[in-house]
Amino acid sequence: MNIMHYLADLLVRSLFKADPATWPYTWIAYAVVIGVGALLAFAFVAIFAGPVTWIERRIAGRIQSRIGPNRNGPQGCLQWLADGIKCWLKEDLVPATADKPLYLAAPYLVFTGMFGAFVVLPFGAHVIAADLNVGLLYILAVTSLVVVGLLMAGWGSNSKWALFGGVRSAAQLVSYEVPSAFSLMAVVLMAGTLSTQGIVGAQGGWPWQWFVFRNPFLFAAFIMYFISAIAEGNRTPFDLPEAESEIIAGYNIEYSGMRFLFFLFAEWANMWIMAAVATLAFLGGWQIPGISPERIAEAKGWTFVGWQALSFAIFVFKGTCLVFTIIQIRWTLPRLRVDQLMITCWKYLVPLSMGSATGVLLLMALVREGGIVDWVMRGAMLLVGLLVAGAYIRKVRATFMADRDNYKKMEGRDLWYPPYRLP
Amino acid sequence: MNGSIVQVVLFYLLAALALTGACLVAFSRSIVHSAFALLGTFVGVAGLYALLAADLVAIVQVMVYVGGVLILILFAVMLTARVDEGKESNPTVGKIPGLLAMLAMAGLLVVTAVKAFGPRTVISEANPPSTVSPIGNLLLSKYVLPFEAISVLLLAVLLGAVTIASGRMRKGAGGKQEGEAPR
């Protein structure tokens, strides 16, 4: 049962006292529900992308031993609103030598490409705009609009730095689409469907039911997908399209005001999409531990709403954890060179991701699901995963403690370091 | 079905998008604008496929044509020397030969379309819920030979591209790399 259909039918029944199957204007109700759904998704992007910009700048500040924005609101948490209003009020400049139609159209294209992916993201057990049969392919396809948009921005700006940024970005996106598609193919093979809800449904709530811990090849596919996703999002260590030291800011250099903001908006929205796809494909999506999807579907009234809210919270929590990891990686690693970037993709990630997809097929043919070998593999991979996560958290904590002690030694006080406040 | 009027409106919107894109491709003086206008045609045609409930074909259309072909065309166009001079980069054959070519092509297309489908044929009222698994099954059972033959062809194309590019690189005539590997 699609939530949008259900809501539209409910609207028709309760407001107009008509049967949705025979009422002649049902499609208007459908259009209204779709419009409201799109607005809600848009609000989610805005509410997610805004604060994440502030959080990212605070984390960057801490990693680089500076303070970061802390003036607007407690701990600076209203900085993103101030930035948004500022960009809204700025003049919308078009360079005199720019190719005007291309220059003006590019931000819309980039934004459409990013926003289109939200249609098939399964936010909760039934919280999804449209559960397409080709969901995962759809995400891969619709993000290719972004590439065209970036090239358009680069060319339309008529500036060599913008052109370099656009071409670099397009080359990078096109290249890294290959390993990310192959990594996701391993998941599609396991799930036997391209639908995003179907992929989530093929997993379970507990970590040993997630695809990432099913077998070593899927674990490798997850890591390769994560690397490719960072590259596709133009984030450090793959942020050559916006390398400040080489091409100043890349494709968005000539833009100002809201048009510039739309590029940034798309970048942070893209970060969320990448994290959400990784979550739904490898980390069990919205699945609640111990509660089967059938039980959620059968629940009535407020229990149903409660399960939906819980599954939504689980999905957003998992996605946010990945987003934080991406942010920390950005401010930790140095940038690759262009040739290193291409070597990483074509010489390592593409063959390895093909190999992992083949390995998944091999294991599907050889190992019986639920057998002893299957459980041994799951247990071993879960252990490896816990060790990796533990080592990561331990390293972050150790750095934090060392910084705190140094600060105390130098200044003689804990200034903005108590752990319960944001770094 | 009540949705039919919506479908008609959507059809004309998508057709207008595809045709506007095609007209811009044909009439634009700048070859870069032509290349970008292809996007409208590709997306419009994909939308028409989606309207015909061919979900996989629509997605593959966007993925291959927008994500692959269009990007390669854009790279090629942007690397063209003197791309701003329309006479050099975008030459025309004149109005009369162009009109003749257009009429010939249009006649061919109309004849083929009428022969293939007849004037008004409804292929199927009941749409399958998903076209992914039927297409996959057919590709690996009934049409497995053409499918494999195409993959051999693609391999040959790939090898040919590598041979041409590496030969040129050895001579040093074109030292820079040729965009992306074909996909």
Side-chain angles (χ1 to χ4, degrees):
Chain A
M1 182 68 178
N2 189 325
I3 186 99
M4 306 290 268
H5 278 179
Y6 178 77
L7 286 178
D9 288 353
L10 197 71
L11 190 75
V12 173
R13 274 206 199 92
S14 57
L15 213 60
F16 302 103
K17 311 278 185 252
D19 183 18
T22 55
W23 199 49
Y25 306 110
T26 306
W27 63 272
I28 297 181
Y30 277 42
V32 167
V33 169
I34 288 170
V36 171
L39 274 181
L40 281 180
F42 189 76
F44 178 85
V45 185
I47 292 171
F48 182 82
V52 165
T53 60
W54 165 68
I55 289 170
E56 166 145 26
R57 288 165 73 184
R58 290 291 279 178
I59 292 178
R62 212 197 72 72
I63 289 178
Q64 299 178 338
S65 292
R66 55 189 175 81
I67 297 172
N70 68 344
R71 290 288 147 184
N72 298 311
Q75 294 279 312
C77 69
L78 297 177
Q79 181 66 39
W80 60 285
L81 277 178
D83 286 343
I85 293 167
K86 184 188 82 173
C87 278
W88 197 281
L89 296 175
K90 285 229 171 176
E91 186 184 354
D92 183 20
L93 280 173
V94 181
T97 55
D99 194 333
K100 209 170 169 192
L102 294 185
Y103 179 86
L104 295 182
Y108 295 104
L109 216 54
V110 172
F111 197 70
T112 313
M114 291 296 175
F115 196 59
F118 275 79
V119 172
V120 293
L121 288 186
F123 280 98
H126 294 85
V127 188
I128 180 169
D131 184 17
L132 299 183
N133 288 312
V134 285
L136 216 52
L137 263 186
Y138 169 82
I139 294 183
L140 292 178
V142 84
T143 38
S144 59
L145 282 179
V146 177
V147 188
V148 182
L150 295 183
L151 275 175
M152 209 182 248
W155 184 267
S157 301
N158 202 4
S159 138
K160 63 180 166 187
W161 310 121
L163 184 59
F164 281 153
V167 170
R168 276 187 185 187
S169 181
Q172 186 171 322
L173 273 162
V174 169
S175 309
Y176 276 87
E177 247 177 31
V178 180
S180 81
F182 270 111
S183 319
L184 288 178
M185 199 178 93
V187 171
V188 173
L189 292 172
M190 283 296 281
T193 172
L194 283 166
S195 134
T196 47
Q197 287 285 37
I199 290 170
V200 173
Q203 304 171 68
W206 300 106
W208 53 88
Q209 294 168 318
W210 298 352
F211 275 152
V212 60
F213 299 131
R214 277 290 172 85
N215 61 48
F217 292 110
L218 279 169
F219 193 78
F222 171 67
I223 292 172
M224 280 184 284
Y225 176 75
F226 199 64
I227 295 173
S228 323
I230 295 175
E232 281 185 66
N234 293 336
R235 309 222 17 125
T236 322
F238 306 103
D239 71 337
L240 290 148
E242 355 190 319
E244 301 91 343
S245 50
E246 300 163 22
I247 51 174
I248 310 178
Y251 47 84
N252 57 19
I253 178 171
E254 300 291 344
Y255 285 87
S256 59
M258 268 323 264
R259 284 178 203 282
F260 174 71
L261 204 61
F262 267 115
F263 280 111
L264 286 194
F265 211 57
E267 190 186 322
W268 271 287
N270 185 42
M271 204 156 77
W272 163 256
I273 291 167
M274 295 305 173
V277 171
T279 307
L280 79 91
F282 293 100
L283 301 181
W286 47 261
Q287 293 266 17
I288 309 168
I291 308 288
S292 72
E294 291 82 30
R295 225 176 116 188
I296 299 176
E298 280 163 12
K300 292 271 182 298
W302 285 110
T303 335
F304 182 76
V305 178
W307 288 138
Q308 299 297 338
L310 186 60
S311 61
F312 179 81
I314 286 177
F315 187 74
V316 173
F317 173 74
K318 284 176 183 170
T320 316
C321 284
L322 287 181
V323 167
F324 273 79
T325 315
I326 296 176
I327 291 177
Q328 279 178 335
I329 288 174
R330 173 174 183 182
W331 296 100
T332 308
L333 295 179
R335 185 180 297 137
L336 265 67
R337 280 201 321 261
V338 177
D339 58 327
Q340 291 169 334
L341 179 91
M342 286 300 160
I343 285 174
T344 314
C345 178
W346 290 106
K347 285 196 180 163
Y348 296 100
L349 285 182
V350 170
L352 282 176
S353 58
M354 282 180 182
S356 80
T358 321
V360 168
L361 276 180
L362 205 68
L363 286 183
M364 277 171 72
L366 294 181
V367 178
R368 194 172 52 85
E369 196 176 334
I372 182 95
V373 185
D374 189 28
W375 279 106
V376 168
M377 269 194 313
R378 287 188 195 194
M381 291 332 290
L382 189 59
L383 197 67
V384 172
L386 286 178
L387 284 177
V388 170
Y392 186 85
I393 293 170
R394 215 174 138 223
K395 178 77 191 153
V396 171
R397 189 172 175 276
T399 324
F400 180 80
M401 289 306 192
D403 276 5
R404 194 190 63 173
D405 294 346
N406 278 342
Y407 192 85
K408 181 128 194 182
K409 216 185 282 170
M410 271 163 36
E411 300 278 322
R413 60 201 161 129
D414 302 317
L415 192 59
W416 34 277
Y417 266 3
Y420 55 84
R421 283 161 86 183
L422 262 171
Chain B
M1 188 182 160
N2 294 321
S4 60
I5 185 161
V6 183
Q7 280 180 353
V8 169
V9 170
L10 275 178
F11 170 78
Y12 281 110
L13 282 179
L14 289 167
L17 178 66
L19 283 179
T20 318
C23 289
L24 280 174
V25 174
F27 296 124
S28 170
R29 277 173 199 273
S30 150
I31 194 170
V32 178
H33 284 190
S34 292
F36 276 116
L38 268 178
L39 175 71
T41 310
F42 289 152
V43 173
V45 171
L48 290 179
Y49 287 143
L51 211 58
L52 291 169
D55 47 2
L56 184 67
V57 183
I59 296 298
V60 170
Q61 160 89 10
V62 174
M63 213 165 162
V64 172
Y65 281 92
V66 178
V69 174
L70 182 59
I71 306 291
L72 284 185
I73 290 178
L74 282 173
F75 269 127
V77 165
M78 287 180 173
L79 293 175
T80 310
R82 289 193 287 169
V83 66
D84 290 330
E85 295 167 36
K87 284 215 176 103
E88 290 283 336
S89 64
N90 205 1
T92 149
V93 292
K95 276 187 184 140
I96 305 295
L99 196 67
L100 285 179
M102 189 202 87
L103 285 178
M105 194 70 208
L108 194 67
L109 282 176
V110 169
V111 168
T112 320
V114 171
K115 265 199 176 167
F117 298 116
R120 278 191 180 188
T121 316
V122 177
I123 306 215
S124 159
E125 278 289 341
N127 294 319
S130 163
T131 58
V132 180
S133 54
I135 287 179
N137 283 331
L138 279 178
L139 273 185
L140 289 181
S141 56
K142 197 175 167 190
Y143 299 106
V144 67
L145 190 64
F147 182 66
E148 290 301 321
I150 287 174
S151 58
V152 173
L153 176 73
L154 284 178
L155 185 66
V157 169
L158 206 67
L159 288 177
V162 169
T163 314
I164 293 171
S166 69
R168 210 190 293 166
M169 258 151 65
R170 227 174 288 129
K171 274 183 225 143
K176 66 184 172 197
Q177 294 204 330
E178 293 278 312
E180 296 304 314
R183 299 204 301 154

